[in-house]
Amino acid sequence: MKKIFALVAAFGLALTAMSQGITLTFTGSRPNPGGYQNMLYVQLDSVKVQNINRLWTETLVYPDTVLTFAQTGIAEAQGSAAEITSYPNPFNGTTNVAVSMPQSGEATLQVYNLAGQKVAERTMALAAGDNLFEVRLQNPQVYLLAVTTPQGRSTIKLLNRGQGAENAIFHHGTSAVDKRQSANPFQSGDALKIVGYITHNDSVYASQEILQPQTASQNLTLYFFNLVDFLPTVTTDTVSNITDSSAVCGGNVTSDGGTLVFARGVCWSTTPNPTISDNHTSDSIGTGHFTSTITGLTPGTTYYIRAYATNYLGTAYGNEDTITTLTIPTVTTDTVSNITDSSAVCGGNVTSDGGSPVTARGVCWSTSQNPTINDSYTTDSSGVGNFTSNITGLSIRTTYYVRAYATNAVGTAYGNQVTFTTLATIPTVTTTSVVSNITFSTATSGGNVTSDGGDSVTARGVCWSTSQNPTLSNSHTSNGSGTGIFTSSLTGLTAGTTYYVRAYAINSVDTAYGNQITFTTTAAGPYTFSVSAGTRVLFSPGNLQWSAKNGGSTAT
């Protein structure tokens, strides 16, 4: 794994002929890849210093140290503030920090955000030399790290590009190697050839060479004009949580291409290969994983989605994913059949679930058009396919409107509307409870038609027989039409005979009969009557025994 070392490497150079030292501070820099005039800070892996006069070479490869070239026996100057370096810097959530203490003592590390708010702090006693820390920061932004010791205060900038788990500072002990002092000979005026090295896009680059005599402390900038940058590398996550109008996606920026990723997110369109010219989200900066919420989608529509990441060179896109937003189901209504006066059979066919399971289906009906599930309805299982519904509780001779329905997570869909009219039924009729005016051959009955069954009553009356449950096939009267009370006269009866009587009413559906009543006719004679002399009397039927006083004669 590639080691990443200090952004700023400081070298202390002590003159053999002088008691004071010379310190050279090196900073890496490169042109802005966006073409602007400002230069960009770059991270140095190492700095090689070659003394042309003394024929030696010294390379700073240990992070966050001050390397001192001094005459043998000359100690490093004391009393200066601590040296700070972080690596890597920029970083994604976590960076290593080295604090080089000129002497042992208490030190306080504090991290501040752009608003000047302190987000992390640690105070502890540190040993002389290099003390190693790990700094974790949550939000992508620039921070200031300050180290305060009894000798003074030092600060550096930290650039966090990723999302960290917390704001915290952890101590990892002291350095096992101390290369801050070298025994290589040096005199003021020696010519030093200086070259810096960085690793960029997995390739090692050298800075422009500096070759000059060194007679005083100074800051030297090492320029890298030959860096090769790339577009970022990004992948698209699988789309999830798809609804009728939204979805969740995201991506992973696995490489920034050598420069800061200052925009990332997902873009989508109804045509393939969407770009940031189409609809897109903006989800923070830097490398690493991110999540995007896509909104404002149209139900039942196919979308193409790609993650994107933008650095100074341009925008890179991830793999493309395709989704179809959910919609309400598709359902058709069957023809109504088996219509009676109070029921019917219908049903439907759910041909598509709209991308979400159909949890309820059936038919709904009303005497008004476009019925919904707020009206009367059936529930006939779930899922797609054909189903049959039994419609009950209807009123006679009434027109109804019917639609099939299907419900999923998005909502309820309705099929085409069909209409039907329930049939009429037989009338409702009762028989007069008491038969009156009973003789040996006649009687009086009747009835009451209380309902025509939804169709006009065309005939009514009573029927009778010496057998139970008489019908129109037996003797009967005809007493008008319509509803209401009517009276019937029964004639031609046989004396002393039991009869069964029922009222009846007829409409276009059928004949209805009332409750059955029973009565018995009276028995025959004797009868008394008088006639004038010489009058002829005829009796019929049967033979009657009679007597008459007419001159003392009796005739049969």
Side-chain angles (χ1 to χ4, degrees):
M1 183 176 68
K2 177 177 78 74
K3 283 188 177 181
I4 301 177
F5 299 110
L7 286 172
V8 179
F11 294 77
L13 304 180
L15 300 177
T16 56
M18 302 175 64
S19 60
Q20 64 180 10
I22 294 177
T23 299
L24 301 180
T25 301
F26 302 97
T27 301
S29 184
R30 62 163 294 177
N32 190 322
Y36 302 101
Q37 294 181 351
N38 296 332
M39 300 295 286
L40 295 180
Y41 208 46
V42 293
Q43 180 170 306
L44 295 169
D45 286 345
S46 62
V47 176
K48 183 170 73 174
V49 179
Q50 183 178 359
N51 192 320
I52 304 300
N53 299 96
R54 311 292 171 189
L55 301 179
W56 54 257
T57 299
E58 187 88 30
T59 300
L60 176 62
V61 295
Y62 191 79
D64 314 314
T65 62
V66 175
L67 185 63
T68 301
F69 296 105
Q71 188 177 9
T72 303
I74 301 297
E76 185 178 355
Q78 302 294 316
S80 61
E83 295 283 346
I84 318 169
T85 311
S86 73
Y87 59 97
N89 192 0
F91 55 92
N92 292 317
T94 301
T95 184
N96 299 305
V97 171
V99 178
S100 179
M101 295 285 288
Q103 61 190 61
S104 61
E106 185 174 88
T108 299
L109 284 72
Q110 297 170 314
V111 180
Y112 297 87
N113 62 20
L114 289 175
Q117 299 168 322
K118 183 169 60 180
V119 299
E121 181 178 34
R122 186 182 184 93
T123 300
M124 62 182 299
L126 299 181
D130 297 324
N131 296 266
L132 306 181
F133 294 85
E134 178 183 328
V135 176
R136 300 176 186 175
L137 298 172
Q138 285 184 315
N139 299 320
Q141 61 174 277
V142 176
Y143 294 86
L144 182 69
L145 170 63
V147 178
T148 303
T149 67
Q151 289 75 38
R153 177 182 172 93
S154 303
T155 62
I156 64 170
K157 290 182 179 179
L158 303 177
L159 176 55
N160 182 21
R161 290 179 172 176
Q163 196 77 31
E166 59 183 329
N167 293 320
I169 301 172
F170 299 92
H171 182 231
H172 287 323
T174 58
S175 169
V177 180
D178 188 351
K179 292 188 62 180
R180 291 176 299 155
Q181 183 168 318
S182 173
N184 287 313
F186 175 80
Q187 289 188 1
S188 178
D190 281 354
L192 299 182
K193 183 166 71 172
I194 302 166
V195 179
Y197 296 91
I198 67 170
T199 302
H200 184 73
N201 288 328
D202 297 323
S203 296
V204 177
Y205 293 86
S207 70
Q208 285 189 314
E209 181 183 285
I210 295 176
L211 178 57
Q212 62 186 34
Q214 299 297 327
T215 59
S217 298
Q218 60 180 307
N219 296 324
L220 297 176
T221 300
L222 302 177
Y223 291 100
F224 294 83
F225 293 105
N226 56 347
L227 299 185
V228 177
D229 294 310
F230 302 100
L231 290 175
T233 303
V234 59
T235 59
T236 307
D237 289 346
T238 300
V239 184
S240 62
N241 297 338
I242 302 169
T243 71
D244 59 324
S245 61
S246 65
V248 174
C249 190
N252 187 19
V253 181
T254 56
S255 171
D256 60 10
T259 62
L260 175 67
V261 171
F262 57 82
R264 65 185 188 179
V266 297
C267 49
W268 66 93
S269 174
T270 55
T271 57
N273 302 317
T275 69
I276 55 175
S277 298
D278 300 306
N279 293 306
H280 64 278
T281 65
S282 295
D283 301 290
S284 190
I285 64 173
T287 58
H289 186 267
F290 61 90
T291 301
S292 305
T293 300
I294 304 170
T295 59
L297 305 180
T298 301
T301 304
T302 297
Y303 287 94
Y304 301 88
I305 302 173
R306 295 194 295 178
Y308 75 88
T310 303
N311 66 7
Y312 288 104
L313 287 185
T315 299
Y317 296 94
N319 50 297
E320 183 175 81
D321 198 1
T322 304
I323 65 165
T324 299
T325 50
L326 305 183
T327 186
I328 57 176
T330 302
V331 59
T332 59
T333 309
D334 292 344
T335 302
V336 181
S337 62
N338 298 337
I339 302 168
T340 71
D341 60 315
S342 61
S343 65
V345 174
C346 190
N349 185 16
V350 181
T351 56
S352 170
D353 62 8
S356 177
V358 170
T359 55
R361 64 185 188 180
V363 297
C364 49
W365 66 92
S366 173
T367 55
S368 300
Q369 295 199 41
N370 301 316
T372 70
I373 55 175
N374 293 320
D375 300 304
S376 298
Y377 67 95
T378 65
T379 301
D380 301 290
S381 189
S382 59
V384 297
N386 292 292
F387 61 91
T388 300
S389 304
N390 293 315
I391 305 172
T392 59
L394 306 179
S395 300
I396 60 175
R397 293 295 292 268
T398 303
T399 297
Y400 287 94
Y401 301 91
V402 184
R403 294 195 296 176
Y405 76 89
T407 302
N408 67 4
V410 179
T412 299
Y414 296 94
N416 51 298
Q417 179 175 273
V418 296
T419 185
F420 71 98
T421 301
T422 51
L423 303 178
T425 187
I426 59 176
T428 302
V429 59
T430 59
T431 308
T432 302
S433 60
V434 176
V435 178
S436 62
N437 301 325
I438 303 171
T439 71
F440 68 93
S441 62
T442 62
T444 300
S445 183
N448 184 15
V449 181
T450 56
S451 170
D452 62 7
D455 194 26
S456 299
V457 171
T458 57
R460 65 187 185 179
V462 296
C463 51
W464 66 91
S465 173
T466 57
S467 299
Q468 293 197 42
N469 300 317
T471 67
L472 291 177
S473 299
N474 304 115
S475 299
H476 62 275
T477 66
S478 181
N479 302 107
S481 60
T483 60
I485 298 173
F486 62 91
T487 301
S488 303
S489 295
L490 287 66
T491 61
L493 307 178
T494 301
T497 303
T498 297
Y499 286 93
Y500 300 92
V501 182
R502 291 196 299 177
Y504 73 88
I506 302 173
N507 67 3
S508 62
V509 177
D510 206 344
T511 301
Y513 295 94
N515 51 303
Q516 180 174 272
I517 301 297
T518 302
F519 74 97
T520 301
T521 56
T522 61
Y527 299 96
T528 301
F529 59 94
S530 63
V531 294
S532 299
T535 302
R536 185 179 181 182
V537 180
L538 299 178
F539 296 94
S540 178
N543 295 320
L544 295 177
Q545 295 293 327
W546 64 279
S547 63
K549 293 181 179 180
N550 186 11
S553 302
T554 300
T556 299

